Structures are given as structure tokens and as C-alpha cells.
Amino acid sequence: MRLRRGPLVTALCLGVAFPWLWLAAWQGSGGNDLDMYKTQLLELHQRLLYAEKENKKRSHELSNVLGEIKRVVAKAVNSTTNHTDGMKWKVLNLTRKLPMHLTNMYCYLPHLREYEESIFPNVVIGQQRTGVSLVMGIPTVKREKQSYLMNTLHSLLYELSEEQKNDCVIIIFVAEVDAEYVNSVAESVRTSFPSEVQSGVLEVISPPDYYYPDLSNLKKTFGDSEDRVRWRTKQNLDYSFLMLYAQPKGTFYLQLEDDIVAKPEYIQTIKNFVAEQSQEWMILEFSQLGFIGKLFKSEDLTLIVEFFLMFHKDKPIDWLLDHLLWVKVCNPEKDRDKDFGKNVLHKAHKNPPAKLDTSLRIFQQYTLEKVYEGNDCFWALAPVAGDYISFTFLEPLIVEKYLFRSGNIEHPGDKLFNATVEVLPADETVRKELVDKGSKFNYPATKDGYLKIGTFENGISEGSVNLSVGKIQAIRLSVNSDSPVWAILSEVFIKTSEN
């Protein structure tokens, strides 16, 4: 970088020449033509003021340059000290890193042309840590029910050594423009993790007021409702903003969510897996579902973000990622198909026609219909007490057996734990007796006329229904306590006298 020192020299020369100009002019005229000299002095004074102004401007530029030099030096020092553990991360050739020009964002988000500052984050908490091995990004939004963000952060930080903490940074992106809410999240983080905030392990950022475009007139696609299209479009913008902020901070970027539970030694597991790779890679998956647990090289993030922004209105984030892989890595589906052949993530059955409903917050496209019809698994965010999953039959049926399996081979911990299986007798007289007098069957009764016929043991509930109950109108899975993990239903089988 060139340092322009010219204005400094100009100011010094003019300052030295000033008394000699005055003396020469006085001696040459005998002091009789003061007006001319006043004019010359005034011009000289204006030049000095201009030189002084330019001097201050260049001093400010020089200060910024020195600050940038200090940042680069600090980054180099951190990079040196952060790679001393026994299992070193692979050192990437980061000289090829070409940051995406921020002007490209104006092409995909043209409303930002009117709000140029809206491409820069509000850094609520942060020590500007850079040069680490691993950057973790956690987007979070205001929830209708309780937030699991603090539990997630406890899970991520609990078993980390000081060396590991010094070699990572966790960015919480509060994807809201409500300043009061953003500040409340930041205060909770600051109160719960004071040392991690002070050291720079944790950062809290939020988007500027005008970052998001108008999301009210989006085209509905793939059968999604207007609300879901709006949600997934905003999610694409959230991921893009977070990734752009995280890109220059470290070597690798790990995408997380705000309601996960980290496994013990997760950082060492990631390091080991990265070190085992003998071929070039673009994404390493530590979860096969959705966008969670995806590890990227930071140098690739600008390309990925630009692709996301280009199609942010069109498809969900994990679909866009698949398309990008198709372009960059030829055919990722081929290897994934082999993985699915080895690891069955769901099991299909023919179930009776029913209306499906749940109070759980569904993750992306993993709906209840998918598992009931045998097309995929059902995946939802961590259940809380009072949540339910219900199957209301279009016609009352004699139910002989049932099987509900939670979790799968990729996410064995995402199970239903303290939950019960309940059936609603179709006979209204029976239901009224259950409410008024209690159960005459060998099953406990609920206040709304359901019979508790089973519980989940190790994530599975399986059994038969006493024929004396008669025809069944509905089956309900009820959650009795808060769960620290997400829930997957990978198999639903309702055997009736007809199927």
C-alpha cells in the first residue's frame, strides 16, 4: 500500500517560507502598498488552511493504514499460536481468497442501493477476533415459545479446553431488526458467559434496519404456503449475512443452529476428520439432514454466499447447496445415494388415510406427511411439555398394532423420551364416561377423553390396542417434559383391521 506523504511536506515548506516572503515584500515597497500585501497574505493564509486540512485528512488515512497493519500482524501472530496442538489443522493456501465485492449484493438486493450502510452488521458484542481455526455461526430468531440458545452455547463451550477456546470464535447472529430484542439476547449472553465475551470467543451481531427486502409478494413454489416461502427466503438471507461476516475470521466455518446439543470432543472430532481427507473437498457433513453441521473452507464462503443470494427467492438453503455442489463437484447425489443405501434414515409403511397435525416446529421440508406416507423422516425442533403429534383418521378404525420409532442412524439422539401414545375412542358415549368416571379399561384416561396406551422406551413405542376399546378416531403422541434435543420420527406404522 502506498502512503501519500506529499501534503505534509507542502505544509512544512509554506510555514518556513512565510516570514521571508513578508520581509522581502516589505523591503521592496518600503511598506507603502499594504493592501497588496494584505491580499497576498490572505491568499497565503488560505493556502496554509487548505494544507492543514489536507494534512489532517492524510493523517486520518495513515492512522487507518496503521490500524490495518496492526490487525494483519495480530492475525499472523494468532495464526502462528493457534496451530500448535498435536492434531494440526491442514494449512490452506489462503492467498487465493478473493472476497466477493459488496457491490454484487446490490444486484441481488437492489433495495440496498438506497441504504448503503445496510450491508454492514451491528456488532453488539465482539473483540474482533481473527486468525482462528474454526468459526461457528449460529443464527437465532425470536421464538414464540422458549429459547434454547443459552443451552446450545453451554453445550458448545462446556468441555472446551482453554487452547480450543483460543482457537475458535462463535458468532451469534440475531436475525431480527428489533433493537430491544437484540440487546436482550446480547445481555443474556454477556451475563451467562462473561469470560468468553471478554476473551472474544463469543460475538453477537444483528442485521441493519434495512437489510431485508420486502418479503410480502414472493412467488409460491413447491406447494409451500406463503408464510413458509417468506420464512425460507429470509433464512437464505440470514445465512448469507452471517457467512459473509464470518468469512475473514478463520480457516473453517461450521454452520450450526440455536437449539442443538454438541457431542463431547466435537472440535477434536472435526479436526481429526478434516485431517483424514486425502482429496479436495468443498463441504464436510457432520449431519446429513438440513443445513446443520456443514463445514466449509472459509475461502469458499464468498462464492457460496453469492450463489445463495442469486437464488434466495427460489429454493430452500439445502436445495441451493445441492445445486451448487452439482455444478462444482459434478454429481454429489451419486455418493449420497450410496450413503442412503447403507444408512436407512426412514422406513415406509402403508398407513390409513388421516389428517395430520403437530404443535412442533418443523425443520425445513421434513414434514409429518413425509414420514406418514413413507417418503422421508419427520424432523422438528426440540419439543417442550405439552407438544403433540396427532393422526386423526378420516373414518373410525379398529387399530390392532402400532409402532412409532424416533431417531435414526444419522441422528440417534434425536428421540422422543418422556412421551406417551394415546388413542381417542370413536364412541362418544365411551369418551364421556372416560371424562366423567375415568377409564374402565386397563389404560389411564386423560381429561379430554384419550386413553394412554403406551410410552416411549429408548425412543420407540410399540404395542397393540385392546379390542374392547372399539374403533379409534385418533392417535396422539404427547410430550410430557421439555427435551434438550430435536425430535425425529423415522417410522410410523398403524396396523388396522383393514390394512
Side-chain angles (χ1 to χ4, degrees), residues 224 228 231 235 285 287-292 294 316-319 322 336 340 345-346 358 360-372 375-381 389 408 411 486-490:
D224 285 345
R228 186 156 184 84
W231 173 79
Q235 187 185 56
E285 292 186 328
S287 167
Q288 209 172 33
L289 299 176
F291 202 53
I292 299 174
K294 303 297 184 285
I317 193 80
D318 49 336
W319 292 19
D322 280 345
R336 290 190 181 190
F340 279 112
L345 301 182
H346 69 279
T358 181
L360 293 172
R361 181 181 167 191
I362 300 169
F363 180 67
Q364 296 190 359
Q365 74 271 21
Y366 302 99
T367 61
L368 193 54
E369 287 77 9
K370 293 288 181 67
V371 69
Y372 195 74
N375 298 321
D376 207 333
C377 63
F378 167 71
W379 199 17
L381 278 60
I389 298 171
N408 60 25
H411 295 270
W486 289 23
I488 287 176
L489 266 184
S490 54

Side-chain angles (χ1 to χ4, degrees), residues 194-239:
S195 61
E196 286 79 6
V197 168
Q198 182 65 31
S199 65
V201 179
L202 290 177
E203 296 191 9
V204 177
I205 66 170
S206 68
D209 291 342
Y210 299 102
Y211 170 63
Y212 299 106
D214 182 8
L215 301 176
S216 60
N217 295 309
L218 298 171
K219 181 181 178 181
K220 291 194 290 186
T221 55
F222 308 114
D224 285 345
S225 66
E226 186 176 336
D227 286 342
R228 186 156 184 84
V229 172
R230 187 181 301 112
W231 173 79
R232 80 185 194 208
T233 300
K234 179 181 178 297
Q235 187 185 56
N236 290 343
L237 296 174
D238 291 342
Y239 283 125

Side-chain angles (χ1 to χ4, degrees), residues 60-76:
H60 180 69
E61 292 178 353
L62 181 60
S63 177
N64 289 341
V65 170
L66 292 175
E68 182 67 11
I69 292 172
K70 288 180 180 178
R71 188 189 69 80
V72 172
V73 171
K75 181 177 180 179

Side-chain angles (χ1 to χ4, degrees), residues 89-105:
W89 295 74
K90 286 188 174 180
V91 179
L92 299 178
N93 179 14
L94 299 183
T95 58
R96 297 185 291 110
K97 182 168 58 180
L98 296 174
M100 183 185 75
H101 295 296
L102 291 180
T103 53
N104 287 3
M105 294 185 71

Side-chain angles (χ1 to χ4, degrees), residues 172-184:
I172 301 108
F173 175 54
V174 186
E176 303 284 354
V177 293
D178 180 350
E180 183 177 352
Y181 178 73
V182 171
N183 290 332
S184 69

Side-chain angles (χ1 to χ4, degrees), residues 220-410:
K220 291 194 290 186
T221 55
F222 308 114
D224 285 345
S225 66
E226 186 176 336
D227 286 342
R228 186 156 184 84
V229 172
R230 187 181 301 112
W231 173 79
R232 80 185 194 208
T233 300
K234 179 181 178 297
Q235 187 185 56
N236 290 343
L237 296 174
D238 291 342
Y239 283 125
S240 299
F241 194 93
L242 174 55
M243 291 171 124
L244 272 184
Y245 176 77
Q247 191 271 333
K249 287 182 169 291
T251 306
F252 299 99
Y253 175 78
L254 180 65
Q255 184 63 60
L256 300 174
E257 292 291 343
D258 64 351
D259 47 10
I260 64 166
V261 176
K263 292 184 177 181
E265 300 295 330
Y266 72 96
I267 283 188
Q268 192 60 48
T269 300
I270 293 172
K271 285 186 176 183
N272 293 345
F273 192 65
V274 169
E276 290 169 3
Q277 304 310 305
S278 58
Q279 300 178 8
E280 278 296 312
W281 56 271
M282 189 172 187
I283 301 169
L284 295 182
E285 292 186 328
F286 295 90
S287 167
Q288 209 172 33
L289 299 176
F291 202 53
I292 299 174
K294 303 297 184 285
L295 185 73
F296 305 89
K297 299 172 186 175
S298 294
E299 63 176 3
D300 292 334
L301 289 182
T302 50
L303 168 69
I304 293 168
V305 167
E306 186 158 14
F307 189 83
F308 289 166
L309 290 176
M310 194 180 303
F311 302 103
H312 70 276
K313 298 178 184 178
D314 301 310
K315 293 186 177 181
I317 193 80
D318 49 336
W319 292 19
L320 292 179
L321 189 61
D322 280 345
H323 289 315
L324 180 60
L325 282 173
W326 183 277
V327 173
K328 295 291 291 183
V329 196
C330 189
N331 190 352
E333 269 70 15
K334 185 175 181 181
D335 288 337
R336 290 190 181 190
D337 287 342
K338 288 192 296 183
D339 290 341
F340 279 112
K342 297 174 183 175
N343 302 330
V344 178
L345 301 182
H346 69 279
K347 188 172 182 180
H349 293 283
K350 184 178 181 181
N351 291 306
K355 179 182 177 182
L356 313 181
D357 188 29
T358 181
S359 62
L360 293 172
R361 181 181 167 191
I362 300 169
F363 180 67
Q364 296 190 359
Q365 74 271 21
Y366 302 99
T367 61
L368 193 54
E369 287 77 9
K370 293 288 181 67
V371 69
Y372 195 74
E373 296 169 3
N375 298 321
D376 207 333
C377 63
F378 167 71
W379 199 17
L381 278 60
V384 297
D387 275 336
Y388 65 87
I389 298 171
S390 68
F391 311 90
T392 303
F393 305 124
L394 301 187
E395 297 289 339
L397 299 168
I398 297 292
V399 176
E400 297 179 353
K401 295 181 179 180
Y402 64 88
L403 168 63
F404 299 98
R405 187 186 307 274
S406 61
N408 60 25
I409 196 167
E410 291 291 336

